[in-house]
Amino acid sequence: STGDTRLPWPLGLLTTRAGLSASFVYHNHAGAYLTLMTLAAVALATWGYDQGARTHKKSTPAAVLALVTFFLAGAVLFTLSRGASLTLGGSLVAFAGWFFVRRRMRPSAAGATDARITLVLALMFGGFALYVGRNLDFTAVTRRFDSLIDGRTKDESVSTRLEARAAGLTMLAEHGWRGIGAGGFRFLFPLYVRAYPDIYDGGKLFWEHQHNDWLEIPEELGAAGTLILTTGAAYLAGFFLRRRALWHSSLVPLLFGCIGTLLHAWIDFPFQCPAILVTWCLLLTLAARGIALEGRGP
């Protein structure tokens, strides 16, 4: 016996990166991606329940999709990404509040779901949750959050981000109008980070990204590029508002997920990961297309 209890993963032979999570070389990116997938599963579950209520079906796949949501949410926790975990928690709390208000204002038809099926699935879900809670080791997860709670400025991942943000603000003030070009951050940032010895270490520490997309994107794209993105976001927001999509069963959970990624981008760089960027844009596009085909939210 080797004493190694980890599951074998072929990509571990191809890279020495310590933050490897599945095919993501950075665990925070894995957490952000799985958070989007969790809210997508929530959207499917809510939509399935809503469709069943309108068509008076005896059962819907909503409960099964809720179990999928549970699996995905657990996967987010075990990426050890505190930003993703907090984002997921906030998104789910916001969704729960929205769902409660929606049920009060737009009550669903009675008898949409067979109570026996719901009871069986609830028992299975509860039993599985108890099993997971008793048998999985959450030590690594709790340790990550304890270090953040006990000393915010002492935690290395927090303190380094704060210093990098200060250096980034200086760079933004000098180059934010014209921008430095997409992908140019890593080449210019060393000139500014050298004023912070703890995160520069004489040039040994190399920052490929700002760990704050809200700073890095305008630094690279400048005022013109930022204006284009802002205009697109404003148009999309107006589109959803004109379609009165506030109570739409699948759109709103997707928006909670996409907004959560935007919040996560304040402390990390999820939009520099192609998988997250493409998925984020795809979910927004699918939501807009669905609303356009339906004419207006139910």
Side-chain angles (χ1 to χ4, degrees):
S1 174
T2 63
D4 192 346
T5 59
R6 298 173 299 175
L7 289 174
W9 184 244
L11 289 180
L13 302 175
L14 304 178
T15 178
T16 57
R17 294 291 293 267
L20 186 69
S21 294
S23 57
F24 291 89
V25 297
Y26 184 40
H27 65 90
N28 286 359
H29 284 165
Y33 180 82
L34 289 171
T35 296
L36 274 177
M37 291 297 96
T38 303
L39 270 298
V42 170
L44 288 174
T46 310
W47 180 82
Y49 179 85
D50 201 61
Q51 288 291 99
R54 291 204 302 268
T55 57
H56 302 283
K57 292 181 179 179
K58 292 185 178 180
S59 63
T60 71
V64 176
L65 288 167
L67 189 60
V68 173
T69 300
F70 177 80
F71 274 106
L72 290 172
V76 172
L77 290 177
F78 279 95
T79 63
L80 303 183
S81 170
R82 293 173 295 192
S85 299
L86 292 173
T87 297
L88 176 63
S91 298
L92 291 179
V93 169
F95 167 77
W98 170 84
F99 188 77
F100 174 78
V101 174
R102 183 177 186 268
R103 288 291 303 276
R104 295 292 299 270
M105 297 184 64
R106 305 169 67 90
S108 302
T113 304
D114 191 318
R116 293 170 297 179
I117 296 177
T118 301
L119 177 61
V120 171
L121 288 172
L123 291 174
M124 292 174 59
F125 181 86
F128 178 76
L130 289 174
Y131 175 82
V132 169
R134 288 175 59 88
N135 292 279
L136 285 186
D137 184 4
F138 289 87
T139 303
V141 178
T142 56
R143 187 186 301 118
R144 289 282 291 172
F145 281 95
D146 287 343
S147 65
L148 182 63
I149 296 172
D150 293 340
R152 177 175 178 267
T153 57
K154 295 180 181 179
D155 186 270
E156 183 180 0
S157 65
V158 177
S159 60
T160 54
R161 279 171 169 79
L162 292 175
E163 293 195 44
R165 180 177 301 176
L169 286 172
T170 303
M171 188 167 78
L172 179 65
E174 296 185 6
H175 298 277
W177 179 249
R178 296 183 59 184
I180 59 178
F185 171 85
R186 67 188 65 189
F187 302 108
L188 188 60
F189 192 62
L191 298 178
Y192 294 88
V193 78
R194 67 176 56 181
Y196 299 86
D198 291 341
I199 59 173
Y200 183 62
D201 194 20
K204 295 180 181 179
L205 297 178
F206 183 71
W207 289 74
E208 295 187 32
H209 296 287
Q210 176 73 74
H211 286 264
N212 185 332
D213 280 337
W214 287 83
L215 277 180
E216 183 171 346
I217 290 175
E219 286 167 352
E220 293 189 341
L221 302 185
T226 303
L227 179 61
I228 293 174
L229 294 178
T230 304
T231 302
Y235 172 81
L236 197 59
F239 174 85
F240 290 136
L241 290 174
R242 290 194 303 272
R243 296 302 193 280
R244 302 177 184 177
L246 179 61
W247 305 113
H248 196 279
S249 56
S250 61
L251 168 66
V252 174
L254 288 179
L255 287 182
F256 281 138
C258 291
I259 292 172
T261 306
L262 288 174
L263 295 176
H264 192 182
W266 181 252
I267 57 174
D268 222 316
F269 54 106
F271 289 111
Q272 306 300 325
C273 174
I276 298 173
L277 179 60
V278 171
T279 302
W280 191 85
C281 292
L282 179 61
L283 291 179
L284 278 182
T285 302
L286 289 175
R289 184 58 177 168
I291 290 293
L293 291 175
E294 292 185 15
R296 58 177 293 181

